Amino acid sequence: MKKYLLLFSISVLAFSCKDKEENSSEKKEETAEVTTKQETKDDEWTVLFDGTNLDNLQLYGNDNSIENWKIEEDALVFHPPAERPKDTHYNLVTKKEYTSFVLSIDWKISEGGNSGIFWGIKDDGTYGQPYETGLEVQVLDNEKHPDAKNGTDRQAGALYDMVAPNKDVTKPIGEWNTAVITINHKTNTGSSVLNGVTVAEFPLKGKEWNSLLENSKFNGWDGFAKYKTGKIGVQDHGDIVSYRNIKIKELN
């Protein structure tokens, strides 16, 4: 009898251990599945402009038809109007707002041209221009535009008027440049990568940020850099400029 009881106990223990192993294995698989899904989500890019339509974009300040921005050979090209009504601008912004993200965008500027890529834009009718609220990575002809001579923090790739690029890696006029802008409020870090080179890094808040702001033209501006969540846009600065392959990856 004792022998049978011993065998029964061993069998129960074996099944119990097996169940625990299976449950543990299932939990590991579930955890791995969740992790994989999270990693996949973090790696997902959303195309904002693929060369075929402007469905994700609109003019800053309204949702009317987009003027002066034309799709040409898969690129979004701005042609400044010959005659511009007073206080009329054609800045282009996303319909959606973003907080932390990685933005990838190709740009090509005309000779002597100037433009910019903004984020944190408040588009509710309170402000007249994206630059009143949004921070900007500069798009510029470093060779012929006078802004490049006014200080390196206005050269292409700079956090405009705040952080200078550590080197000039722009392509010759007529060639495409690729900008990758990362804004991460969780880690309090921002960066500007131009043609594969990290040319500027900056905080988004704190003592160092306050110092940058105080020493810039934006010091004292009511709405500047106040909005963690806002639209992304490209600038009408009165010059021909082209953008293509615009995509964004939101950071959780």
Side-chain angles (χ1 to χ4, degrees), residues 56-70:
N56 298 309
L57 304 168
Q58 65 182 39
L59 288 178
Y60 175 80
N62 61 63
D63 58 358
N64 296 330
S65 59
I66 297 172
E67 301 177 49
N68 300 95
W69 290 93
K70 309 295 183 184

Side-chain angles (χ1 to χ4, degrees), residues 39-251:
E39 288 174 351
T40 302
K41 185 176 181 181
D42 288 346
D43 288 339
E44 286 180 351
W45 289 91
T46 298
V47 176
L48 299 177
F49 175 73
D50 64 359
T52 63
N53 65 73
L54 304 177
D55 292 348
N56 298 309
L57 304 168
Q58 65 182 39
L59 288 178
Y60 175 80
N62 61 63
D63 58 358
N64 296 330
S65 59
I66 297 172
E67 301 177 49
N68 300 95
W69 290 93
K70 309 295 183 184
I71 298 177
E72 300 174 3
E73 298 180 353
D74 298 329
L76 181 59
V77 184
F78 177 68
H79 296 278
E83 295 183 5
R84 184 190 296 265
K86 185 179 179 181
D87 297 326
T88 301
H89 303 277
Y90 301 93
N91 302 291
L92 208 57
V93 297
T94 56
K95 292 181 179 178
K96 183 180 175 181
E97 293 185 331
Y98 300 90
T99 305
S100 293
F101 58 84
V102 180
L103 175 73
S104 179
I105 179 170
D106 296 342
W107 60 264
K108 181 170 61 174
I109 193 69
S110 55
E111 186 173 340
N114 185 338
S115 184
I117 304 162
F118 295 97
W119 65 92
I121 298 170
K122 190 67 173 178
D123 186 14
D124 64 353
T126 303
Y127 304 94
Q129 288 270 20
Y131 62 71
E132 293 182 54
T133 55
L135 289 89
E136 174 188 1
V137 161
Q138 178 78 303
V139 170
L140 198 77
D141 174 5
N142 282 350
E143 292 296 321
K144 296 191 175 181
H145 195 282
D147 255 16
K149 310 299 188 295
N150 292 337
T152 55
D153 57 11
R154 295 190 177 187
Q155 289 186 342
L159 178 63
Y160 178 76
D161 206 62
M162 301 184 82
V163 178
N166 52 41
K167 61 179 67 176
D168 181 1
V169 294
T170 53
K171 301 288 183 66
I173 293 301
E175 295 187 20
W176 287 98
N177 298 270
T178 298
V180 177
I181 300 167
T182 300
I183 301 299
N184 192 331
H185 286 282
K186 285 189 176 180
T187 59
N188 191 33
T189 56
S191 66
S192 168
V193 175
L194 185 58
N195 297 324
V197 178
T198 301
V199 294
E201 295 178 291
F202 45 90
L204 305 174
K205 62 181 180 180
K207 185 176 179 180
E208 185 182 348
W209 164 257
N210 292 336
S211 177
L212 290 172
L213 183 58
E214 287 169 5
N215 289 288
S216 76
K217 64 181 283 185
F218 306 110
N219 187 26
W221 286 32
D222 180 58
F224 182 75
K226 292 295 193 299
Y227 303 96
K228 288 173 61 175
T229 299
K231 294 184 176 182
I232 291 170
V234 289
Q235 186 182 35
D236 157 20
H237 203 282
D239 300 309
I240 297 174
V241 63
S242 303
Y243 294 98
R244 70 178 185 185
N245 298 332
I246 309 174
K247 60 182 181 179
I248 193 167
K249 183 196 321 185
E250 294 187 73
L251 303 175

Side-chain angles (χ1 to χ4, degrees), residues 6-20:
L6 180 61
L7 289 172
F8 177 75
S9 298
I10 291 172
S11 298
V12 170
L13 181 61
F15 279 116
S16 176
C17 291
K18 184 178 180 181
D19 286 342
K20 286 181 179 179

